Amino acid sequence: MEAAFTMNLRLALGLAIMLASSVCQAQAPTLSLYTFDSPPYQVTEPGTGETGKVSGETTETVACAANRAGWLTRIRIAPRNRAMHSLKRGLVNGYFAIDPSIELDTIARRSDPVALEKWYFFTTEEGKFNGNARIGVVDGSNEEAWLENNGYSIFMSVASPSQLLALLRRGRIGAALMDERVMTDLEKENQAAALNIKAHFVRYAPLHLYLTEAFVARYPQFLPEFNRMLPACMEGQLALSGTEELRIRTLADRLIRELHGILNIEQAVEAGPRQQNFTDVMTQDSVWQVLPPDTPTALARYILQLPGSRALHGWKVTHNGLVSEAMVINDMGTLAAMSQITSDYWQGDEPKYQEVVRSTRKGLKGLEALYISTIRFDASTSQFQVTVSAPVEPIQEGVPKGIIVLGLNAEEALRSQDIP
């Protein structure tokens, strides 16, 4: 009897251990990360202390992409020096949200951007920003490191953005470098609008997650999967502000009018190839997407040799750094001319085509029907892009004869014009 009881007990214990082991194996692994306090992007929730729950937009982005890649996250706030030391020693798996760093690139692997900050020099002076102004910045910030790496003289480093605003208000500094949203929040809290602060665009600052080499070597599939999940997790965060959209619209107006002056775009639409039916469109598009850019299809080579394509390419070159691509699409949504090889032949399923057609069907014409995309990160060029598109007349039954599409380097587009 006792022997049977002992045997049953051992079986029960063995079963319990096996079940516990299965549960442990089924649980997602945990990614241990450090970040730093930077409202509204990363912030410890009130009353939880340094080791408490960390929230904020960038924190949520990182957790979202990691979770979709099959990992849980443990995110903690830490002083920058400690975080850097821990990353170098392998005491944590990663550290975010960091501006690209030559030092970190030698010891860790960088993800695609997990956040996009918009940096401005804020001043109370009229006119263009003077680079010789007394510049204030938050001590230990990404902005401070960037200023130092780009040869700026820092007049004063302080503990918080609110101190920068106070110094700007008192005239102790001539300019403060910080993120646009941080200043917006400060203005709301301090009713600083009466200061009539001027904003001078500096750059889009892509901030990254750095993972240790040891982690990447052990889990080689994590980083590609994490990067693949980032766009969906960042959706809605890369929209242009009202002021930025107005400036892009003004620039697009100028560029499209300029292009009309050197190219008969209606004629370029007519000269481009046209498929007999939608089945042929899909067949050509499938072949087009399979082949790499350096071995284009016969159709792609034909389009590139058209006068319209050569004119688009030459015009793009004159705007090197600002215009990343230019194309003309016909009413079927297929390419009639292009400045360079594109990833797709059929553009009809994309917003740059569909949104313009939606507007023309409402009776809008010309630049009234202009479509401006959100900002997107192009990993191949490491640039942030904005797409603008407008109809080519005539418009029949709400559908334009064609659509002109321009890809713009977002930073250059904003820098090319004075801040209103």
Side-chain angles (χ1 to χ4, degrees):
M1 184 76 173
E2 184 177 347
F5 174 79
T6 301
M7 183 176 293
N8 289 337
L9 180 60
R10 288 176 177 173
L11 288 172
L13 287 172
L15 182 60
I17 291 171
M18 289 176 62
L19 289 172
S21 176
S22 298
V23 170
C24 290
Q25 290 177 5
Q27 185 178 9
T30 299
L31 193 65
S32 175
L33 304 174
Y34 269 154
T35 188
F36 55 93
D37 188 60
S38 180
Y41 301 103
Q42 306 101 238
V43 57
T44 304
E45 293 188 357
T48 61
E50 184 181 293
T51 59
K53 183 177 180 180
V54 182
S55 59
E57 187 176 286
T58 305
T59 302
E60 292 167 4
T61 294
V62 171
C64 169
N67 290 343
R68 294 190 180 197
W71 285 68
L72 301 174
T73 54
R74 183 186 178 214
I75 299 173
R76 292 168 289 168
I77 295 286
R80 290 172 183 264
N81 288 341
R82 184 198 302 174
M84 292 283 282
H85 175 77
S86 298
L87 186 70
K88 292 175 182 178
R89 297 281 303 274
L91 303 177
V92 291
N93 300 132
Y95 177 35
F96 73 93
I98 308 300
D99 206 22
S101 161
I102 295 175
E103 178 186 7
L104 285 178
D105 282 336
T106 62
I107 63 167
R109 292 282 298 280
R110 188 196 330 157
S111 74
D112 286 348
V114 299
L116 176 63
E117 293 186 354
K118 302 172 187 177
W119 291 1
Y120 288 80
F121 279 121
F122 294 97
T123 71
T124 56
E125 300 292 332
E126 296 290 344
K128 292 186 176 181
F129 171 70
N130 180 0
N132 296 321
R134 293 175 298 175
I135 299 172
V137 70
V138 173
D139 185 37
S141 64
N142 285 314
E143 291 91 329
E144 182 183 52
W146 183 85
L147 286 170
E148 291 172 344
N149 291 334
N150 286 274
Y152 285 90
S153 176
I154 299 174
F155 178 74
M156 190 176 298
S157 296
V158 297
S160 69
S162 60
Q163 291 178 337
L164 283 180
L165 179 59
L167 291 170
L168 196 60
R169 173 184 287 156
R170 295 168 187 165
R172 294 283 304 279
I173 58 174
L177 178 61
M178 68 175 81
D179 174 60
E180 178 191 43
R181 283 181 57 186
V182 173
M183 175 56 85
T184 299
D185 289 348
L186 285 175
E187 288 180 329
K188 291 177 181 177
E189 293 172 6
N190 296 274
Q191 297 181 339
L195 284 175
N196 196 23
I197 290 176
K198 304 298 187 299
H200 308 266
F201 178 76
V202 178
R203 63 183 290 240
Y204 280 115
L207 305 182
H208 304 262
L209 164 66
Y210 274 94
L211 294 167
T212 66
E213 291 283 5
F215 177 86
V216 173
R218 186 175 181 183
Y219 303 102
Q221 296 304 315
F222 173 80
L223 189 54
E225 189 67 9
F226 179 86
N227 287 337
R228 192 172 72 85
M229 298 300 173
L230 276 174
C233 291
M234 295 179 72
E235 191 173 359
Q237 296 179 19
L238 301 184
L240 293 164
S241 68
T243 300
E244 290 170 334
E245 183 169 332
L246 177 60
R247 286 172 28 232
I248 295 293
R249 182 174 294 275
T250 302
L251 177 61
D253 184 348
R254 175 171 67 81
L255 291 173
I256 291 174
R257 290 180 187 277
E258 180 183 309
L259 193 53
H260 273 286
I262 65 168
L263 174 65
N264 186 327
I265 300 179
E266 181 181 346
Q267 190 176 75
V269 173
E270 294 174 349
R274 188 177 185 85
Q275 305 304 317
Q276 293 297 317
N277 51 57
F278 190 68
T279 299
D280 291 344
V281 170
M282 289 294 96
T283 299
Q284 291 288 349
D285 188 59
S286 297
V287 177
W288 188 297
Q289 292 186 48
V290 168
L291 294 178
D294 56 349
T295 56
T297 65
L299 177 61
R301 291 196 299 272
Y302 173 77
I303 295 174
L304 280 174
Q305 294 302 315
L306 291 172
S309 293
R310 292 200 297 269
L312 288 177
H313 177 73
W315 178 80
K316 168 187 168 280
V317 170
T318 66
H319 293 283
N320 186 35
L322 173 61
V323 179
S324 57
E325 66 177 348
M327 65 182 78
V328 175
I329 305 169
N330 62 27
D331 59 358
M332 292 185 73
T334 58
L335 286 166
M338 57 186 177
S339 61
Q340 67 225 40
I341 292 291
T342 64
S343 57
D344 305 281
Y345 171 57
W346 185 54
Q347 309 285 324
D349 60 339
E350 299 185 19
K352 60 191 174 191
Y353 175 86
Q354 294 180 344
E355 292 300 322
V356 171
V357 172
R358 186 173 288 115
S359 294
T360 55
R361 284 176 173 163
K362 293 179 180 178
L364 300 179
K365 296 181 179 180
L367 292 171
E368 292 179 343
L370 183 74
Y371 165 73
I372 303 175
S373 73
T374 57
I375 302 167
R376 64 178 180 83
F377 179 71
D378 184 349
S380 64
T381 61
S382 296
Q383 293 179 348
F384 291 95
Q385 305 282 347
V386 173
T387 299
V388 297
S389 51
V392 177
E393 297 183 356
I395 298 173
Q396 298 180 346
E397 298 182 357
V399 179
K401 183 180 187 68
I403 292 175
I404 179 69
V405 180
L406 303 179
L408 304 177
N409 179 318
E411 282 194 66
E412 292 298 324
L414 291 178
R415 194 177 289 118
S416 66
Q417 302 175 79
D418 291 335
I419 304 293

Short mmCIF file of all heavy atoms in Angstrom, two decimals, residues 288-329:
data_model
loop_
_atom_site.label_atom_id
_atom_site.label_comp_id
_atom_site.label_asym_id
_atom_site.label_seq_id
_atom_site.Cartn_x
_atom_site.Cartn_y
_atom_site.Cartn_z
N TRP A 288 7.67 42.29 -62.95
CA TRP A 288 8.41 43.49 -62.57
C TRP A 288 8.92 43.37 -61.13
O TRP A 288 10.07 43.69 -60.84
CB TRP A 288 7.49 44.70 -62.72
CG TRP A 288 8.10 46.07 -62.56
CD1 TRP A 288 8.69 46.58 -61.44
CD2 TRP A 288 8.16 47.09 -63.55
NE1 TRP A 288 9.09 47.87 -61.65
CE2 TRP A 288 8.79 48.21 -62.95
CE3 TRP A 288 7.73 47.19 -64.87
CZ2 TRP A 288 9.00 49.42 -63.64
CZ3 TRP A 288 7.94 48.39 -65.54
CH2 TRP A 288 8.57 49.48 -64.93
N GLN A 289 8.06 42.94 -60.21
CA GLN A 289 8.42 42.88 -58.80
C GLN A 289 9.40 41.76 -58.48
O GLN A 289 10.18 41.87 -57.53
CB GLN A 289 7.16 42.70 -57.94
CG GLN A 289 6.24 43.90 -57.94
CD GLN A 289 5.09 43.73 -56.97
OE1 GLN A 289 5.29 43.37 -55.81
NE2 GLN A 289 3.87 43.98 -57.42
N VAL A 290 9.37 40.69 -59.26
CA VAL A 290 10.25 39.55 -58.99
C VAL A 290 11.70 39.87 -59.32
O VAL A 290 12.62 39.51 -58.58
CB VAL A 290 9.78 38.31 -59.78
CG1 VAL A 290 10.85 37.22 -59.74
CG2 VAL A 290 8.47 37.78 -59.21
N LEU A 291 11.92 40.58 -60.42
CA LEU A 291 13.29 40.87 -60.85
C LEU A 291 13.91 41.99 -60.03
O LEU A 291 13.23 42.97 -59.69
CB LEU A 291 13.30 41.25 -62.33
CG LEU A 291 12.89 40.15 -63.31
CD1 LEU A 291 12.90 40.68 -64.74
CD2 LEU A 291 13.82 38.94 -63.19
N PRO A 292 15.18 41.88 -59.70
CA PRO A 292 15.86 42.95 -58.94
C PRO A 292 16.03 44.20 -59.79
O PRO A 292 16.00 44.13 -61.03
CB PRO A 292 17.21 42.33 -58.58
CG PRO A 292 17.44 41.26 -59.60
CD PRO A 292 16.08 40.75 -59.97
N PRO A 293 16.24 45.38 -59.14
CA PRO A 293 16.35 46.64 -59.88
C PRO A 293 17.47 46.66 -60.92
O PRO A 293 17.37 47.35 -61.93
CB PRO A 293 16.62 47.66 -58.77
CG PRO A 293 16.05 47.05 -57.54
CD PRO A 293 16.25 45.58 -57.69
N ASP A 294 18.56 45.89 -60.67
CA ASP A 294 19.68 45.93 -61.62
C ASP A 294 19.45 45.03 -62.83
O ASP A 294 20.27 45.02 -63.76
CB ASP A 294 20.98 45.56 -60.91
CG ASP A 294 20.92 44.20 -60.23
OD1 ASP A 294 19.80 43.65 -60.12
OD2 ASP A 294 21.98 43.70 -59.80
N THR A 295 18.34 44.28 -62.85
CA THR A 295 17.99 43.49 -64.04
C THR A 295 16.51 43.75 -64.37
O THR A 295 15.66 42.88 -64.19
CB THR A 295 18.22 41.98 -63.79
OG1 THR A 295 17.48 41.57 -62.62
CG2 THR A 295 19.68 41.68 -63.61
N PRO A 296 16.19 44.95 -64.84
CA PRO A 296 14.79 45.30 -65.10
C PRO A 296 14.19 44.51 -66.25
O PRO A 296 14.91 43.99 -67.11
CB PRO A 296 14.87 46.79 -65.44
CG PRO A 296 16.26 47.00 -65.95
CD PRO A 296 17.10 46.05 -65.17
N THR A 297 12.88 44.45 -66.30
CA THR A 297 12.18 43.78 -67.38
C THR A 297 12.32 44.58 -68.67
O THR A 297 12.73 45.75 -68.67
CB THR A 297 10.68 43.64 -67.05
OG1 THR A 297 10.10 44.95 -66.99
CG2 THR A 297 10.46 42.93 -65.73
N ALA A 298 11.95 43.94 -69.77
CA ALA A 298 12.00 44.63 -71.07
C ALA A 298 11.06 45.85 -71.05
O ALA A 298 11.38 46.90 -71.62
CB ALA A 298 11.60 43.67 -72.18
N LEU A 299 9.91 45.71 -70.39
CA LEU A 299 8.97 46.83 -70.29
C LEU A 299 9.59 47.99 -69.51
O LEU A 299 9.47 49.15 -69.90
CB LEU A 299 7.68 46.37 -69.60
CG LEU A 299 6.62 47.45 -69.36
CD1 LEU A 299 6.16 48.07 -70.68
CD2 LEU A 299 5.44 46.88 -68.58
N ALA A 300 10.27 47.67 -68.41
CA ALA A 300 10.91 48.72 -67.60
C ALA A 300 11.99 49.44 -68.40
O ALA A 300 12.10 50.68 -68.35
CB ALA A 300 11.49 48.11 -66.33
N ARG A 301 12.80 48.69 -69.14
CA ARG A 301 13.85 49.30 -69.95
C ARG A 301 13.25 50.20 -71.03
O ARG A 301 13.77 51.28 -71.32
CB ARG A 301 14.73 48.22 -70.58
CG ARG A 301 15.59 47.45 -69.58
CD ARG A 301 16.70 46.67 -70.28
NE ARG A 301 16.16 45.69 -71.22
CZ ARG A 301 15.83 44.45 -70.89
NH1 ARG A 301 15.98 44.02 -69.64
NH2 ARG A 301 15.35 43.61 -71.79
N TYR A 302 12.12 49.76 -71.59
CA TYR A 302 11.45 50.56 -72.62
C TYR A 302 10.97 51.89 -72.04
O TYR A 302 11.16 52.96 -72.64
CB TYR A 302 10.26 49.77 -73.19
CG TYR A 302 9.40 50.57 -74.14
CD1 TYR A 302 9.81 50.82 -75.45
CD2 TYR A 302 8.18 51.10 -73.71
CE1 TYR A 302 9.02 51.56 -76.32
CE2 TYR A 302 7.38 51.85 -74.57
CZ TYR A 302 7.81 52.07 -75.86
OH TYR A 302 7.04 52.82 -76.72
N ILE A 303 10.34 51.83 -70.85
CA ILE A 303 9.82 53.06 -70.22
C ILE A 303 10.97 54.01 -69.88
O ILE A 303 10.86 55.22 -70.06
CB ILE A 303 9.01 52.71 -68.96
CG1 ILE A 303 7.75 51.92 -69.35
CG2 ILE A 303 8.60 53.98 -68.21
CD1 ILE A 303 6.95 51.42 -68.17
N LEU A 304 12.07 53.46 -69.38
CA LEU A 304 13.21 54.31 -69.02
C LEU A 304 13.79 55.07 -70.20
O LEU A 304 14.36 56.16 -70.03
CB LEU A 304 14.31 53.46 -68.38
CG LEU A 304 14.15 53.08 -66.92
CD1 LEU A 304 15.24 52.12 -66.48
CD2 LEU A 304 14.14 54.32 -66.02
N GLN A 305 13.64 54.52 -71.41
CA GLN A 305 14.21 55.15 -72.59
C GLN A 305 13.27 56.18 -73.22
O GLN A 305 13.68 56.90 -74.15
CB GLN A 305 14.58 54.09 -73.63
CG GLN A 305 15.71 53.17 -73.20
CD GLN A 305 16.98 53.95 -72.87
OE1 GLN A 305 17.38 54.85 -73.61
NE2 GLN A 305 17.60 53.62 -71.75
N LEU A 306 12.05 56.28 -72.74
CA LEU A 306 11.10 57.24 -73.29
C LEU A 306 11.56 58.66 -73.01
O LEU A 306 12.17 58.93 -71.97
CB LEU A 306 9.71 57.01 -72.71
CG LEU A 306 8.99 55.73 -73.14
CD1 LEU A 306 7.71 55.54 -72.33
CD2 LEU A 306 8.68 55.76 -74.63
N PRO A 307 11.28 59.62 -73.91
CA PRO A 307 11.67 61.02 -73.68
C PRO A 307 11.15 61.58 -72.35
O PRO A 307 11.85 62.34 -71.68
CB PRO A 307 11.05 61.75 -74.88
CG PRO A 307 10.97 60.72 -75.95
CD PRO A 307 10.67 59.43 -75.23
N GLY A 308 9.93 61.19 -72.00
CA GLY A 308 9.36 61.67 -70.74
C GLY A 308 10.17 61.21 -69.53
O GLY A 308 10.40 61.98 -68.59
N SER A 309 10.61 59.96 -69.55
CA SER A 309 11.41 59.42 -68.45
C SER A 309 12.77 60.12 -68.38
O SER A 309 13.25 60.45 -67.29
CB SER A 309 11.61 57.91 -68.62
OG SER A 309 10.40 57.22 -68.47
N ARG A 310 13.38 60.34 -69.54
CA ARG A 310 14.68 61.02 -69.55
C ARG A 310 14.56 62.45 -69.03
O ARG A 310 15.43 62.94 -68.32
CB ARG A 310 15.28 60.98 -70.95
CG ARG A 310 15.68 59.58 -71.42
CD ARG A 310 16.68 59.64 -72.57
NE ARG A 310 16.11 60.29 -73.74
CZ ARG A 310 15.47 59.66 -74.71
NH1 ARG A 310 15.32 58.34 -74.65
NH2 ARG A 310 14.99 60.32 -75.75
N ALA A 311 13.44 63.09 -69.38
CA ALA A 311 13.21 64.46 -68.89
C ALA A 311 13.00 64.46 -67.37
O ALA A 311 13.53 65.33 -66.67
CB ALA A 311 12.00 65.07 -69.59
N LEU A 312 12.26 63.48 -66.86
CA LEU A 312 12.04 63.38 -65.41
C LEU A 312 13.36 63.14 -64.69
O LEU A 312 13.62 63.73 -63.63
CB LEU A 312 11.06 62.25 -65.10
CG LEU A 312 9.59 62.47 -65.45
CD1 LEU A 312 8.79 61.21 -65.13
CD2 LEU A 312 9.02 63.67 -64.70
N HIS A 313 14.19 62.26 -65.24
CA HIS A 313 15.47 61.97 -64.61
C HIS A 313 16.37 63.20 -64.57
O HIS A 313 16.98 63.52 -63.53
CB HIS A 313 16.17 60.83 -65.34
CG HIS A 313 17.54 60.53 -64.79
ND1 HIS A 313 17.73 59.88 -63.59
CD2 HIS A 313 18.78 60.81 -65.27
CE1 HIS A 313 19.02 59.77 -63.35
NE2 HIS A 313 19.68 60.33 -64.35
N GLY A 314 16.45 63.90 -65.71
CA GLY A 314 17.29 65.10 -65.76
C GLY A 314 16.81 66.17 -64.79
O GLY A 314 17.61 66.83 -64.12
N TRP A 315 15.49 66.35 -64.71
CA TRP A 315 14.93 67.34 -63.78
C TRP A 315 15.20 66.95 -62.34
O TRP A 315 15.55 67.80 -61.52
CB TRP A 315 13.43 67.46 -64.04
CG TRP A 315 12.73 68.40 -63.11
CD1 TRP A 315 12.70 69.77 -63.20
CD2 TRP A 315 11.96 68.05 -61.97
NE1 TRP A 315 11.96 70.30 -62.17
CE2 TRP A 315 11.49 69.26 -61.40
CE3 TRP A 315 11.60 66.85 -61.36
CZ2 TRP A 315 10.69 69.29 -60.26
CZ3 TRP A 315 10.82 66.87 -60.23
CH2 TRP A 315 10.36 68.08 -59.69
N LYS A 316 15.05 65.66 -62.01
CA LYS A 316 15.34 65.18 -60.66
C LYS A 316 16.78 65.46 -60.26
O LYS A 316 17.07 65.89 -59.14
CB LYS A 316 15.05 63.68 -60.57
CG LYS A 316 15.57 63.02 -59.29
CD LYS A 316 15.41 61.52 -59.38
CE LYS A 316 16.18 60.83 -58.27
NZ LYS A 316 17.61 60.68 -58.52
N VAL A 317 17.70 65.24 -61.19
CA VAL A 317 19.12 65.47 -60.90
C VAL A 317 19.38 66.93 -60.54
O VAL A 317 20.20 67.23 -59.65
CB VAL A 317 19.99 65.06 -62.11
CG1 VAL A 317 21.43 65.51 -61.93
CG2 VAL A 317 19.93 63.54 -62.30
N THR A 318 18.65 67.85 -61.17
CA THR A 318 18.84 69.27 -60.85
C THR A 318 18.36 69.59 -59.44
O THR A 318 18.72 70.64 -58.89
CB THR A 318 18.09 70.18 -61.85
OG1 THR A 318 16.68 69.99 -61.72
CG2 THR A 318 18.53 69.89 -63.27
N HIS A 319 17.54 68.72 -58.87
CA HIS A 319 17.05 68.91 -57.50
C HIS A 319 17.63 67.82 -56.60
O HIS A 319 16.95 67.32 -55.70
CB HIS A 319 15.53 68.86 -57.46
CG HIS A 319 14.89 70.03 -58.15
ND1 HIS A 319 14.80 71.28 -57.59
CD2 HIS A 319 14.31 70.13 -59.38
CE1 HIS A 319 14.20 72.11 -58.42
NE2 HIS A 319 13.88 71.43 -59.52
N ASN A 320 18.87 67.46 -56.86
CA ASN A 320 19.53 66.39 -56.11
C ASN A 320 19.48 66.66 -54.61
O ASN A 320 19.83 67.74 -54.14
CB ASN A 320 20.98 66.26 -56.56
CG ASN A 320 21.67 65.08 -55.93
OD1 ASN A 320 21.05 64.04 -55.70
ND2 ASN A 320 22.95 65.22 -55.64
N GLY A 321 19.04 65.66 -53.85
CA GLY A 321 18.92 65.81 -52.41
C GLY A 321 17.53 66.19 -51.96
O GLY A 321 17.14 65.92 -50.83
N LEU A 322 16.75 66.81 -52.84
CA LEU A 322 15.37 67.20 -52.51
C LEU A 322 14.37 66.23 -53.12
O LEU A 322 13.52 65.68 -52.42
CB LEU A 322 15.10 68.62 -52.99
CG LEU A 322 13.65 69.11 -52.87
CD1 LEU A 322 13.20 69.10 -51.41
CD2 LEU A 322 13.50 70.51 -53.48
N VAL A 323 14.46 66.02 -54.44
CA VAL A 323 13.55 65.11 -55.13
C VAL A 323 14.21 63.74 -55.23
O VAL A 323 15.28 63.60 -55.83
CB VAL A 323 13.20 65.63 -56.53
CG1 VAL A 323 12.26 64.66 -57.25
CG2 VAL A 323 12.56 67.02 -56.44
N SER A 324 13.57 62.74 -54.64
CA SER A 324 14.15 61.39 -54.66
C SER A 324 13.65 60.58 -55.85
O SER A 324 14.35 59.67 -56.32
CB SER A 324 13.80 60.65 -53.36
OG SER A 324 12.40 60.60 -53.16
N GLU A 325 12.46 60.88 -56.36
CA GLU A 325 11.95 60.20 -57.55
C GLU A 325 10.81 61.00 -58.15
O GLU A 325 10.19 61.83 -57.47
CB GLU A 325 11.48 58.77 -57.21
CG GLU A 325 10.28 58.71 -56.29
CD GLU A 325 9.80 57.30 -56.05
OE1 GLU A 325 10.25 56.38 -56.77
OE2 GLU A 325 8.96 57.10 -55.15
N ALA A 326 10.56 60.76 -59.42
CA ALA A 326 9.44 61.39 -60.13
C ALA A 326 8.87 60.38 -61.10
O ALA A 326 9.62 59.65 -61.75
CB ALA A 326 9.92 62.65 -60.86
N MET A 327 7.55 60.34 -61.19
CA MET A 327 6.91 59.40 -62.12
C MET A 327 5.59 59.96 -62.61
O MET A 327 4.98 60.83 -61.98
CB MET A 327 6.70 58.04 -61.45
CG MET A 327 5.72 58.05 -60.29
SD MET A 327 5.52 56.42 -59.50
CE MET A 327 7.01 56.37 -58.50
N VAL A 328 5.19 59.46 -63.76
CA VAL A 328 3.89 59.80 -64.33
C VAL A 328 3.11 58.50 -64.48
O VAL A 328 3.62 57.51 -65.02
CB VAL A 328 4.03 60.49 -65.70
CG1 VAL A 328 2.66 60.72 -66.33
CG2 VAL A 328 4.77 61.81 -65.55
N ILE A 329 1.86 58.49 -63.98
CA ILE A 329 1.00 57.30 -64.00
C ILE A 329 -0.20 57.59 -64.90
O ILE A 329 -0.73 58.71 -64.89
CB ILE A 329 0.51 56.97 -62.58
CG1 ILE A 329 1.71 56.82 -61.62
CG2 ILE A 329 -0.34 55.70 -62.57
CD1 ILE A 329 1.29 56.75 -60.16
#
